[in-house]
Amino acid sequence: DPFLNRRRANDFIQADTRLRAITQERIRERSKAPQEHQRELCEDYYPCEMYAFRHGYAAAYKHYFGRRRTK
């Protein structure tokens, strides 16, 4: 029989494993790498994204969001 009832279907995956995987994913979402955070900022700003296509995301982020010197 190719179909299983719900109880048998849930026996394949342990609940503890599923909860651990969900928890790990949530932790990864909260703690992003600085480069990933910079890339997302750049992707949300169209001129930065266009600059990134030509020069790369690191250069684009530095160009648009880098520290600006004030007098």
Side-chain angles (χ1 to χ4, degrees), residues 7 19 38 48 50 55 58 62 68:
R7 182 171 290 155
L19 291 175
Q38 290 174 358
C48 183
M50 291 294 105
H55 303 285
K62 189 174 182 181
R68 306 242 168 141

Side-chain angles (χ1 to χ4, degrees), residues 48-67:
C48 183
E49 188 176 20
M50 291 294 105
Y51 191 92
F53 286 141
R54 186 165 269 238
H55 303 285
Y57 279 99
Y61 180 83
K62 189 174 182 181
H63 180 77
Y64 285 99
F65 301 107
R67 293 185 65 181

Side-chain angles (χ1 to χ4, degrees), residues 34-59:
Q35 294 84 1
E36 185 177 357
H37 182 68
Q38 290 174 358
R39 184 179 180 126
E40 287 178 357
L41 279 174
C42 194
E43 286 175 347
D44 291 338
Y45 185 54
Y46 185 74
C48 183
E49 188 176 20
M50 291 294 105
Y51 191 92
F53 286 141
R54 186 165 269 238
H55 303 285
Y57 279 99

